[in-house]
Amino acid sequence: MFKDWLQKGKFKNRKGHELAFCKICQCELLAHKSVLKKNLKTEKHVELMRVSVNQQNLPQFFENKSGLVNNIKRAEIKLVGFLATNNLPFTLMDTLCPLLKDVAPDSEILKGIATKRTKATIIMKLTTRKHFKLILSEKLSTPGSFFSLVLDETTDRSTTKQSALTVTFYNEDEKGVKTHFLDIIEIPSGTADSLYMCIQNCLKNHSIPLENFVGFSSDTTNVMVGKSHAVFSLLKDKNPATVCVKCSCHSIHLAAFKACLKLPISVEDL
């Protein structure tokens, strides 16, 4: 009943109870049978399960397909990629596809497209995202493919702490230095140890060797770049070749703040 969509969660809730993770809904649940059964019957879960049953990874997407079906799948992926590239909401698919069919009613490819917000989300999560993350991981894991890591921590509206990681590296294919999003991970706390383990686990999960990690950038908080027991100091202990470049925006802000302290407080002192 549960094995196809459920896995053990990484964290516990505030009361110390184990959490389970729904791979379909991409959310954590209390690991109680009644809660899991209730989630199984929710409208969101049922719809996502229905859509994901026929989803394949990107290479399989094009295997053994007829010309028309292949072109339809290709068009759907390109439309989803268009939304992601231009930072557009997936809800746009609810009106975009009918509009395209109306503009070109004689197109057999457009007639076959049946992608709305739910399917577009599934295509991005289960095919396109995994495909490009795999390509990025392979590039960063190549011996001599050095990269820098940019780390920032945030809290979403449900008070769940998250850590976003991006990488900067020289891309041989594009012949230039590029910055790519690597992952965003939920963390139990915003401590240096927690963030350090987040980086370690992220690189391990993507099979990226720490030896290729040579640079670190973040804001200027003590947790990130403090002199003792900060994220950077822990990373440097593991890899002494790592260098730190603090965020220029935060540095400018601190400089401006210190400069403003020298200004007179009252108008009479001007």
Side-chain angles (χ1 to χ4, degrees):
M1 181 186 297
F2 303 130
K3 66 178 182 179
D4 293 332
W5 56 272
L6 196 65
Q7 67 182 32
K8 185 177 180 180
K10 297 180 180 179
F11 310 115
K12 297 181 180 180
N13 65 7
R14 294 180 179 179
K15 295 183 179 180
H17 295 154
E18 293 285 347
L19 296 177
F21 184 76
C22 176
K23 295 185 288 185
I24 300 299
C25 302
Q26 294 290 303
C27 65
E28 289 187 328
L29 307 164
L30 194 62
H32 290 174
K33 191 173 183 179
S34 59
V35 176
L36 300 179
K37 283 186 174 181
K38 184 177 180 181
N39 180 71
L40 187 63
K41 298 178 181 179
T42 60
E43 182 179 346
K44 175 184 177 182
H45 185 90
V46 172
E47 177 65 16
L48 291 176
M49 279 289 288
R50 183 186 65 80
V51 175
S52 65
V53 166
N54 297 321
Q55 292 299 318
Q56 300 171 308
N57 59 43
L58 203 59
Q60 291 175 335
F61 225 39
F62 297 105
E63 287 182 1
N64 303 320
K65 301 292 184 180
S66 64
L68 178 59
V69 174
N70 182 68
N71 288 333
I72 291 173
K73 300 300 182 183
R74 183 172 179 270
E76 289 178 332
I77 291 178
K78 280 186 169 289
L79 285 173
V80 173
F82 167 75
L83 297 183
T85 302
N86 294 278
N87 197 26
L88 297 172
F90 287 120
T91 53
L92 185 61
M93 292 296 289
D94 293 349
T95 54
L96 179 60
C97 290
L99 175 63
L100 293 174
K101 293 179 181 181
D102 184 63
V103 171
D106 56 338
S107 173
E108 294 297 324
I109 295 177
L110 292 179
K111 288 180 181 179
I113 293 178
T115 304
K116 292 190 176 181
R117 69 179 77 179
T118 303
K119 187 176 181 180
T121 304
I122 294 297
I123 290 175
M124 175 58 68
K125 286 184 176 181
L126 300 185
T127 58
T128 311
R129 182 185 68 170
K130 290 184 178 181
H131 178 71
F132 287 109
K133 284 181 71 173
L134 179 60
I135 292 177
L136 179 60
S137 298
E138 289 176 349
K139 289 181 179 179
L140 297 178
S141 61
T142 303
S145 180
F146 302 112
F147 67 92
S148 297
L149 187 69
V150 182
L151 176 69
D152 199 9
E153 184 247 337
T154 185
T155 303
D156 66 11
R157 63 181 182 180
S158 66
T159 70
T160 300
K161 292 185 179 297
Q162 298 174 329
S163 180
L165 300 95
T166 58
V167 289
T168 302
F169 66 103
Y170 181 79
N171 193 325
E172 287 284 352
D173 297 333
E174 302 181 38
K175 302 300 180 184
V177 177
K178 301 295 179 180
T179 299
H180 289 274
F181 172 76
L182 180 62
D183 212 338
I184 184 166
I185 304 171
E186 291 186 2
I187 52 177
S189 66
T191 63
D193 289 323
S194 179
L195 291 169
Y196 172 71
M197 289 305 301
C198 168
I199 295 174
Q200 289 277 70
N201 293 334
C202 179
L203 296 180
K204 182 179 179 180
N205 292 337
H206 289 81
S207 301
I208 301 172
L210 193 62
E211 291 74 18
N212 289 353
F213 173 49
V214 296
F216 177 74
S217 181
S218 69
D219 55 29
T220 55
T221 60
N222 288 331
V223 170
M224 292 292 190
V225 293
K227 291 184 178 180
S228 60
H229 203 74
V231 176
F232 175 65
S233 63
L234 293 172
L235 290 169
K236 196 168 181 64
D237 289 341
K238 192 72 174 180
N239 189 356
T242 306
V243 297
C244 178
V245 178
K246 298 178 182 179
C247 173
S248 58
C249 294
H250 284 82
S251 298
I252 293 172
H253 172 264
L254 290 175
F257 173 75
K258 293 294 184 181
C260 289
L261 294 178
K262 299 298 182 180
L263 296 175
I265 298 177
S266 62
V267 178
E268 289 79 7
D269 294 332
L270 291 175

